[in-house]
Amino acid sequence: MSKAFTRENDAAGDDDDGDIGLPPLPPGGRNYMTPQGHARLRGELLALIDEERPKVVEAVHWAAKNGDRSENGDYLYGKKRLREIDRRIRFLTKRLEIAEVTDPSVHAGSDQIFFGATVTYVDDLGEERTITILGIDEADNHQGQVSWISPVARALLKAREGDVVKLPTPAGVRELEILAVRYPAA
């Protein structure tokens, strides 16, 4: 087959829904998301469609009128950026279509851990941590947020305040004592 008929990412396969830094959904799993996370992703999608993409299309159109496209940096960069935007639009569209929006505030006042809970626990080494269990697409480890499919979240889910749960790690099994469970207000 001629090189002209291959895609740049053929070696990696069709990677439209694999965004860098985001894990794939578990097979048969659901894409749980808080209302805030859903609104944020929807806002990003609309901004890409309504604002950023038209600007890049306009820049590519302008650059294309300037002559030789093979050595035109504006044109080449614009086309590359357009592919990145289109890939992100496809990714966000797919994820939002299958999103199952779950409002964690319905569990306010409960001491049992469900999706959306903010949990404070202490491990067997005496380290205290506070995490919030969120959806795959909205969790940010730097802000103390973990995905509901992460090992620590799976160990904590359905446990109650005061329980001790076991967390399997590569270094061995750790015990986590749950100190507090909070949910956002309605």
Side-chain angles (χ1 to χ4, degrees):
M1 175 186 281
S2 168
K3 179 77 173 148
F5 296 105
T6 61
R7 296 175 76 182
E8 289 179 9
N9 61 353
D10 269 352
D14 189 12
D15 199 30
D16 284 343
D17 66 345
D19 227 29
I20 296 174
L22 293 176
L25 290 172
R30 299 185 180 190
N31 189 21
Y32 291 114
M33 199 176 290
T34 62
Q36 297 84 6
H38 188 269
R40 184 181 56 77
L41 289 182
R42 192 173 188 301
E44 180 185 348
L45 175 64
L46 293 177
L48 285 172
I49 292 171
D50 296 338
E51 297 166 20
E52 191 166 353
R53 191 174 194 288
K55 287 178 188 174
V56 174
V57 167
E58 185 178 322
V60 168
H61 179 69
W62 170 83
K65 290 193 295 187
N66 289 337
D68 186 13
R69 295 177 184 174
S70 65
E71 294 181 12
N72 187 331
D74 289 332
Y75 178 80
L76 296 174
Y77 173 76
K79 291 295 282 186
K80 180 180 181 210
R81 181 68 187 129
L82 203 53
R83 284 191 303 271
E84 292 168 356
I85 291 170
D86 288 343
R87 185 177 302 120
R88 183 70 180 164
I89 288 172
R90 283 191 305 273
F91 173 80
L92 290 171
T93 301
K94 286 179 184 178
R95 287 294 178 105
L96 289 171
E97 283 175 356
I98 62 170
E100 193 165 318
V101 180
T102 304
D103 188 1
S105 66
V106 299
H107 299 291
S110 174
D111 69 341
Q112 191 170 12
I113 301 171
F114 296 106
F115 178 82
T118 298
V119 182
T120 302
Y121 64 87
V122 63
D123 63 17
D124 48 8
L125 300 175
E127 290 183 39
E128 187 174 308
R129 289 199 172 152
T130 301
I131 61 167
T132 303
I133 301 171
L134 296 175
I136 295 169
D137 299 324
E138 58 187 326
D140 181 1
N141 196 30
H142 299 296
Q143 295 181 8
Q145 302 167 342
V146 297
S147 164
W148 67 274
I149 64 168
S150 68
V152 69
R154 287 184 179 224
L156 293 171
L157 284 171
K158 297 194 180 170
R160 295 184 179 275
E161 205 170 285
D163 287 354
V164 175
V165 298
K166 296 188 183 304
L167 172 65
T169 68
V173 177
R174 312 257 323 252
E175 290 188 348
L176 310 176
E177 180 182 354
I178 302 165
L179 303 176
V181 178
R182 294 184 320 275
Y183 290 94

